[in-house]
C-alpha cells in the first residue's frame, strides 16, 4: 500500500541495520552457547526458532515506542506496518518452535497440567498463547468489533505478559544460556525492554502531563469538520514540518493512553499554536470536534514524514485526497503559501458531494494566491455541476496530470480503496514508485 518506504534513505538504512543486529543477537548467543552434548540439528533449529521469535517480539517494543529518530525516516505508518508484520513473523517462529518440539521431541514438553508441569515450560505455553492472542485480536479487531480503547489496553497488558513469560521460559529452560555471561546478556535484554516500557508508559506521559495545552478556538468548517486551535501553556512543539501529525489527548491525562492522531493543519511558521482539523467519525472525534475553548489538552509529537519538505528539489507536487485525507494536503499547501513558494501544485480531491468537500472555500481562495489547481471530483454532483464526477480514475488522472508531472512527488491520502486504485493507475501512467507516497489514517 505504501510505495515510498523511506523518506530519508541513509537514516532508514541505519535503523534497519540496527534492527537486523537486534534480530541476529539471539542467534549469536545460540552459536556461541554451550550446547547440550547429545542434541540433534533439528533440536538446535527448534531452539533457534525460539530465540529468533523472542528477538522479533522484543523489537516490537522499540517499534511502538515512537522514538522520533526511528519514526522520522520512515513515517509512523510504515513503522506500524513493520510492527504488524514482525509480530506475525514472531508468532510464526514461535509456532514453528513449538510444532517441532511437539512432533519430534514430545517428551521435552513434559506435563501439560500447569499445576504439575515444570514452571518454565508453563511460562513458554503462556507466552505462546498470549502472543497468538495478541496477533488474532489485532488482525481481527474490526471483525470482532473490539472497541479501540479496550483493545489497546488489552494489547499492552498481553504484550507485557507474553514477553515476560517468554524471557522467564528461556532463562528457566536454560538451553544455550547456562553460562553466566549468557544469562547476564538475557537479563540485560529483559531489563532494557522493561526500561522501554517504563519510558513509554510512565516517563513520556509524565513529561506530557507537565506540559499541557489549551483549546483557544473551535472553528466549524464545511462538511462537519471542526478546526481546534491549541495554544501551549508551557513549551510549544519543537519545529514541525508540514504534513506531520500529533497524538491528541483530551478530557484525560496522558497516562490514560486515550490519545488519537490528528494532522497539524497549520505550518510551523504559524507556531507556537497548532490547528487540528477533526472530522467527527466516532466517539472520540465526535466529542473532540465539539469541545469548547478553555479545555485542557495534551499533545505528543510531531510525528510523520508526509511532507513537501522531503523533496526540496521537486519542480511541483501532485496531491490526491479523498474526504478527510485533505488535512495533510492543507498543511503542505499552507506551508507553500506561507513561504511564497512558486512551485505548482495539482490537487485532485474526491468527495461524496459538494457539501462534504472540506475546506472548499479556503481552497478556492488559495487557488488565487499560490500556483495551485484544485480539481474537485464528486460522486453525487449537484444540479448544474460542470466539474468531474464519479470516482477518481485513470481518465480523470490523465486529463489533469500532464506529462511534466510524472516525476513530481505524488501525495495520496484518503480511504484505502481510493489510494490503492489511484496508486496503481499512477504507476501504469509511468509515475515512478519512489515518487508516490501515501498516508494511512488507519494505523491498526
Ligand atoms: C497519521 C494520522 C493522521 C490523522 N489525521 C486526521 C485529521 O487530520 N483529521 C481527522 O479527522 N482524522 C485524522 N485521523 C483519523 C483519526 O485519528 C481517527 O478518525 C480517530 O482517531 C477516530 O477515533 P474515534 O474514537 O472518533 O472513532 P472510532 O470509531 O472509535 O474509531 C474509528 C477508527 O479510527 C482508528 N482509531 C480510533 N482510535 C484511535 C487511536 N487512538 N489511535 C489510532 N487510531 C485510532 C481505529 O482504526 C478505529 O477503528 C488521522 C489518523 C492518522 C493515523
Amino acid at each position: 500500500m505504501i510505495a515510498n518506504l523511506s523518506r530519508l534513505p541513509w537514516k532508514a538504512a541505519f535503523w534497519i541495520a540496527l534492527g537486523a543486529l537486534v534480530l541476529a543477537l539471539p542467534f549469536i548467543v545460540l552459536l556461541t552457547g554451550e550446547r547440550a552434548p547429545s542434541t540433534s540439528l533439528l533440536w538446535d533449529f527448534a531452539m533457534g526458532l525460539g530465540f529468533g521469535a523472542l528477538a522479533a517480539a522484543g523489537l516490537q517494543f522499540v517499534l511502538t515506542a515512537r522514538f522520533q529518530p526511528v519514526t522520522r525516516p520512515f513515517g509512523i505508518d510504515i513503522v506500524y506496518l513493520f510492527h504488524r508484520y514482525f509480530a506475525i513473523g514472531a508468532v510464526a517462529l514461535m509456532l514453528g518452535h513449538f510444532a517441532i518440539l511437539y512432533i519430534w521431541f514430545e517428551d521435552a514438553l513434559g506435563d501439560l497440567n500447569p499445576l504439575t508441569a515444570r514452571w518454565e515450560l508453563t511460562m513458554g505455553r503462556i507466552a505462546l498463547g498470549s502472543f497468538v492472542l495478541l496477533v488474532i485480536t489485532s488482525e481481527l479487531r474490526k471483525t470482532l468489533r473490539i472497541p479501540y480503547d479496550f483493545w489497546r489496553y488489552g494489547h499492552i497488558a498481553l504484550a507485557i505478559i507474553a514477553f515476560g513469560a517468554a524471557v522467564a521460559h528461556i532463562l528457566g529452560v536454560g538451553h544455550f544460556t547456562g553460562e553466566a555471561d549468557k544469562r547476564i546478556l538475557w537479563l540485560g535484554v529483559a531489563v532494557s525492554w522493561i526500561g522501554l516500557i517504563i519510558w513509554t508508559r510512565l516517563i513520556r506521559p509524565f513529561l506530557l502531563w507537565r506540559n499541557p495545552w489549551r483549546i483557544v478556538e473551535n472553528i466549524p468548517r464545511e462538511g462537519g469538520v471542526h478546526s481546534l486551535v491549541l495554544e501551549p501553556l508551557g513549551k510549544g512543539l519543537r519545529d514541525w514540518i508540514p504534513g506531520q501529525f500529533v497524538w491528541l489527548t483530551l478530557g484525560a491525562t496522558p497516562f490514560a493512553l486515550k490519545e488519537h492522531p490528528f494532522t497539524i493543519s497549520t505550518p510551523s511558521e504559524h507556531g507556537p499554536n497548532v490547528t487540528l482539523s477533526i472530522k467527527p467519525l466516532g466517539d472520540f472525534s465526535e466529542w473532540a470536534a465539539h469541545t469548547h475553548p478553555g479545555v485542557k489538552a495534551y499533545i505528543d509529537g510531531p510525528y510523520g514524514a508526509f511532507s513537501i519538505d522531503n523533496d526540496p528539489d521537486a519542480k511541483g507536487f501532485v496531491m490526491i485526497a479523498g474526504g478527510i485525507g485533505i488535512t495533510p494536503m492543507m498543511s503542505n499547501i499552507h506551508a507553500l503559501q506561507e513561504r511564497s513558494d512558486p512551485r505548482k501544485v495539482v490537487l485532485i480531491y474526491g468527495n461524496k458531494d459538494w457539501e462534504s468537500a472540506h475546506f472548499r472555500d479556503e481552497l478556492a481562495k488559495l487557488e488565487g494566491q499560490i500556483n495551485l489547481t484544485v480539481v474537485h471530483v464528486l460522486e453525487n454532483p449537484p444540479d448544474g455541476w460542470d466539474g468531474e464526477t464519479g470516482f477518481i480514475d485513470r481518465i480523470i488522472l490523465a486529463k489533469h496530470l500532464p506529462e511534466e508531472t510524472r516525476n513530481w512527488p505524488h501525495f495520496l491520502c484518503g480511504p484505502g480503496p481510493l489510494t490503492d486504485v489511484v496508486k496503481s493507475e499512477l504507476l501504469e501512467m509511468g509515475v515512478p514508485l519512489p515518487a508516490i507516497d501515501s498516508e494511512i489514517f488507519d494505523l491498526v
Side-chain angles (χ1 to χ4, degrees):
M1 190 151 165
I2 294 154
N4 199 354
L5 190 64
S6 166
R7 285 94 169 186
L8 297 170
W10 289 110
K11 288 189 183 169
F14 169 77
W15 289 112
I16 288 173
L18 200 64
L21 185 70
V22 171
L23 287 178
L25 197 64
F27 293 97
I28 297 168
V29 171
L30 186 71
L31 286 173
T32 59
E34 203 179 82
R35 284 187 53 192
S38 56
T39 57
S40 66
L41 193 65
L42 187 62
W43 171 269
D44 289 352
F45 180 63
M47 295 304 119
L49 292 181
F51 279 102
L54 187 66
L59 198 62
Q60 308 313 309
F61 289 105
V62 182
L63 292 177
T64 54
R66 291 193 213 149
F67 289 124
Q68 280 163 341
V70 181
T71 57
R72 173 85 173 86
F74 302 96
I76 208 155
D77 46 359
I78 302 277
V79 172
Y80 274 76
L81 218 60
F82 284 159
H83 168 47
R84 184 174 165 197
Y85 292 132
F86 268 116
I88 293 172
V91 168
L93 294 182
M94 272 170 223
L95 287 171
H97 167 74
F98 183 77
I100 293 175
L101 295 179
Y102 184 76
I103 297 169
W104 285 286
F105 305 96
E106 205 184 342
D107 287 350
L109 293 180
D111 192 354
L112 279 181
N113 180 350
L115 295 176
T116 49
R118 281 164 54 198
W119 70 269
E120 67 273 22
L121 298 183
T122 302
M123 283 295 151
R125 287 187 273 268
I126 290 176
L128 180 64
S130 309
F131 278 121
V132 169
L133 203 58
L134 267 173
V135 168
I136 290 177
T137 48
S138 303
E139 290 300 310
L140 300 179
R141 180 180 67 80
K142 287 185 183 159
T143 315
L144 299 173
R145 293 174 190 273
I146 305 174
Y148 185 88
D149 286 339
F150 181 73
W151 166 82
R152 192 164 182 215
Y153 289 131
H155 194 75
I156 294 167
L158 265 178
I160 293 172
I161 292 170
F163 193 74
V167 172
H169 169 67
I170 286 191
L171 289 173
V173 170
H175 291 305
F176 300 98
T177 59
E179 300 153 52
D181 56 342
K182 301 290 182 317
R183 297 180 81 80
I184 289 170
L185 177 78
W186 277 108
L187 274 174
V189 168
V191 168
S192 313
W193 299 134
I194 291 168
L196 266 178
I197 294 168
I198 292 174
W199 162 256
T200 50
R201 306 293 163 219
L202 293 175
I203 300 176
R204 194 176 46 204
F206 175 75
L207 296 175
L208 293 176
W209 176 73
R210 291 259 314 255
N211 193 41
W213 292 63
R214 183 176 50 203
I215 294 173
V216 288
E217 224 180 325
N218 181 338
I219 311 162
R221 307 270 188 185
E222 303 96 334
V225 164
H226 285 248
S227 292
L228 300 183
V229 183
L230 294 106
E231 102 181 332
L233 295 177
K235 278 185 271 171
L237 287 185
R238 271 190 286 143
D239 283 348
W240 69 92
I241 59 170
Q244 285 195 295
F245 72 94
V246 292
W247 295 86
L248 170 71
T249 302
L250 268 180
T253 73
F255 296 99
L257 301 177
K258 293 196 170 200
E259 43 184 7
H260 291 249
F262 292 100
T263 310
I264 309 170
S265 49
T266 34
S268 59
E269 287 84 351
H270 278 189
N273 287 6
V274 299
T275 303
L276 310 177
S277 295
I278 301 181
K279 180 166 183 169
L281 288 174
D283 288 351
F284 176 81
S285 47
E286 175 71 44
W287 178 76
H290 297 97
T291 43
H292 296 291
V295 170
K296 219 186 231 185
Y298 300 93
I299 284 183
D300 180 21
Y303 294 102
F306 193 65
S307 179
I308 52 167
D309 282 4
N310 288 329
D311 299 280
D313 300 326
K315 295 202 165 59
F317 302 95
V318 173
M319 301 182 182
I320 300 168
I324 192 62
I326 191 69
T327 54
M329 313 305 179
M330 292 308 292
S331 166
N332 281 298
I333 291 169
H334 276 138
L336 291 166
Q337 179 205 24
E338 195 61 33
R339 301 168 186 175
S340 306
D341 192 319
R343 286 178 291 176
K344 179 150 185 65
V345 180
V346 181
L347 168 67
I348 302 181
Y349 185 23
N351 275 293
K352 200 168 253 159
D353 49 39
W354 186 239
E355 290 313 309
S356 48
H358 314 299
F359 301 103
R360 53 179 187 263
D361 294 343
E362 200 170 331
L363 284 168
K365 217 185 285 170
L366 283 161
E367 273 188 293
Q369 296 169 351
I370 60 170
N371 196 353
L372 167 73
T373 303
V374 182
V375 179
H376 286 283
V377 182
L378 301 179
E379 241 177 284
N380 306 310
D383 291 342
W385 174 256
D386 61 357
E388 300 294 354
T389 57
F391 295 108
I392 302 174
D393 59 11
R394 177 70 166 270
I395 297 170
I396 293 176
L397 293 171
K399 186 167 153 195
H400 297 281
L401 300 177
E403 205 56 39
E404 61 158 342
T405 65
R406 293 297 179 267
N407 287 309
W408 293 3
H410 288 60
F411 295 95
L412 275 46
C413 187
L418 178 142
T419 52
D420 286 350
V421 167
V422 167
K423 185 178 147 191
S424 61
E425 296 296 356
L426 290 174
L427 289 172
E428 281 186 26
M429 284 164 62
V431 178
L433 189 66
I436 306 175
D437 198 354
S438 49
E439 176 99 309
I440 306 175
F441 269 10
D442 198 2
L443 294 178
V444 281

